[in-house]
Amino acid sequence: MRHDKLERELYLIELLTENRNYDVERLCQKVGISRRNLYYYLEFFRDCGFKLYKHGGYYCIDSKSSFFNHIIDRITFTEQEAVLLRRLLDKISSENVLASHLKDKLDRFYDLDILTEDISQEQVAQNLGVLYEAIKFKRQILVRNYVSLHSDTVKDRLLEPFMLMDNNNEVRCFEPSSKLNKTFKISRMRGVEMLDTDWCYESSHKDMYTDVFMFSGSKRMPIKLLLGNLSYNILKDEYPRAMKYIEESDNKKYLLDMDVCSYVGIGRFVLGLYDDIEVLGDKGFKSYLNKKINKMKKV
């Protein structure tokens, strides 16, 4: 039955993850398959994006494989989120069985000693809680002693927060004094106070978008590429977030259609694998690449 086969595949993945105990013969015995089938599975796992390597006499799957990263991104909390949840649960009566059960779960899966041992993480959790409420109720905030590395200053900031970013490590705000949208690191805030004042500049708020190459900006530029097998697999390994923008085309080609904030990241990727990529659009990106190629010819 297909279910039996799937059960073997999942069990083999479990055994191979950071394997230090089972050689080829032992793996075959544990899973109940032949050596030939084992090597077939190993090749299949590689094609699916798992990072396989051999350590001594043991085959292993790297726990940092993109498959695991996709799952972790979808089901786990960041450290700041876990701390915030734990703090909120602490405010609920100890007689609440469900709250106690949730606290026990968080304590098992996260190192929450920082609640008592790390004051800076405690402050980040408090900041995040206030920012969440301010965004929800569209209120202005006063950030105490914000440390700016760009301007080399430490000062209070009156802001209108409207978007949490980078796994809740940053917040996008409009600053009335400069009339600019800026991104602030939550860890550099020495305190956050939600004011009674509602947003006054909502029409000026501009979202910040971060593309798969980690370039950020309010402007998005469309790009469309036809990838070969080599460029597809490299993109999958190095930039797993790009996979949701890919559709399989004909003749083992893959269509990548997405927005970027800068041509620098995607340009570096395309120029490094130029023979395996067909650039379909847009005109701006094609022009950027032509300028780069002409400049390289002059070197």
Side-chain angles (χ1 to χ4, degrees):
M1 293 177 64
R2 174 57 191 165
H3 288 174
D4 295 336
K5 184 178 179 182
L6 178 58
E7 184 178 1
R8 285 197 300 271
E9 292 169 352
L10 293 174
Y11 183 42
L12 183 56
I13 290 173
E14 180 184 349
L15 293 176
L16 287 169
T17 303
E18 300 293 352
N19 177 35
R20 294 293 186 275
N21 301 309
Y22 306 113
D23 57 16
V24 169
E25 183 177 353
R26 186 70 176 129
L27 283 171
C28 292
Q29 291 175 354
K30 293 281 288 183
V31 184
I33 56 177
S34 65
R35 280 176 172 260
R36 180 179 179 181
N37 281 338
L38 174 64
Y39 292 127
Y40 168 79
Y41 278 128
L42 295 179
E43 188 62 31
F44 172 69
F45 292 157
R46 286 192 184 96
D47 292 341
C48 290
F50 288 100
K51 293 182 180 179
L52 270 161
Y53 62 95
K54 193 174 183 181
H55 179 79
Y58 307 107
Y59 281 97
C60 313
I61 287 179
D62 191 341
S63 61
K64 295 182 175 62
S65 297
S66 58
F67 176 85
F68 296 129
N69 291 334
H70 287 323
I71 293 178
I72 290 171
D73 287 344
R74 285 161 174 75
I75 67 173
T76 60
F77 299 113
T78 64
E79 187 176 74
Q80 288 88 350
E81 289 169 337
V83 171
L84 176 59
L85 284 172
R86 187 64 165 77
R87 283 176 49 79
L88 292 174
L89 289 169
D90 281 339
K91 297 178 181 179
I92 300 176
S93 171
S94 58
E95 296 179 0
N96 188 304
V97 177
L98 180 58
S100 298
H101 182 60
L102 288 173
K103 284 192 287 187
D104 289 341
K105 275 192 171 183
L106 286 172
D107 291 343
R108 285 199 303 270
F109 288 102
Y110 298 91
D111 180 14
L112 295 184
D113 289 341
I114 56 177
L115 284 171
T116 56
E117 296 178 5
D118 191 332
I119 297 175
S120 64
Q121 289 294 332
E122 173 82 3
Q123 186 62 63
V124 168
Q126 291 179 3
N127 293 345
L128 185 58
V130 177
L131 289 168
Y132 174 81
E133 293 291 312
I135 293 172
K136 179 179 179 180
F137 295 109
K138 297 186 176 183
R139 297 280 183 80
Q140 291 186 344
I141 60 170
L142 184 63
V143 174
R144 299 292 186 184
N145 297 324
Y146 182 76
V147 181
S148 174
L149 301 182
H150 178 71
S151 61
D152 193 25
T153 59
V154 179
K155 64 180 182 180
D156 294 350
R157 305 266 189 148
L158 176 67
L159 304 170
E160 291 187 357
F162 58 87
M163 182 183 184
L164 290 168
M165 302 169 54
D166 186 26
N167 289 324
N168 296 336
N169 290 310
E170 299 177 336
V171 60
R172 187 71 170 164
C173 303
F174 180 80
E175 186 177 49
S177 62
S178 64
K179 299 294 190 294
L180 295 174
N181 289 280
K182 298 180 179 180
T183 302
F184 295 87
K185 292 281 188 182
I186 297 176
S187 61
R188 296 182 193 161
M189 298 175 177
R190 296 295 174 261
V192 182
E193 177 186 347
M194 185 169 70
L195 305 178
D196 292 331
T197 313
D198 294 333
W199 288 349
C200 300
Y201 305 91
E202 185 172 359
S203 61
S204 298
H205 296 181
K206 292 184 179 179
D207 290 351
M208 176 67 75
Y209 174 72
T210 301
D211 64 29
V212 301
F213 298 95
M214 301 310 295
F215 284 87
S216 298
S218 56
K219 181 181 179 182
R220 303 189 191 188
M221 298 171 287
I223 59 104
K224 187 177 290 187
L225 309 175
L226 193 61
L227 308 177
N229 193 53
L230 175 62
S231 54
Y232 167 76
N233 280 288
I234 291 177
L235 185 71
K236 180 171 62 174
D237 288 341
E238 296 185 358
Y239 303 99
R241 288 177 53 211
M243 290 303 99
K244 63 182 178 181
Y245 303 108
I246 289 182
E247 293 182 3
E248 189 168 354
S249 187
D250 298 329
N251 301 320
K252 294 185 177 180
K253 297 286 186 178
Y254 302 87
L255 181 65
L256 173 65
D257 189 354
M258 67 179 184
D259 293 342
V260 296
C261 296
S262 169
Y263 289 142
V264 175
I266 186 67
R268 173 179 170 272
F269 176 77
V270 170
L271 292 172
L273 296 160
Y274 200 73
D275 292 338
D276 197 57
I277 298 174
E278 181 182 351
V279 180
L280 304 178
D282 68 351
K283 292 182 179 179
F285 185 47
K286 289 182 177 180
S287 175
Y288 171 86
L289 291 175
N290 287 330
K291 290 179 181 178
K292 284 289 184 182
I293 293 170
N294 291 331
K295 187 175 181 180
M296 286 189 288
K297 288 180 179 178
K298 294 177 182 179
V299 176

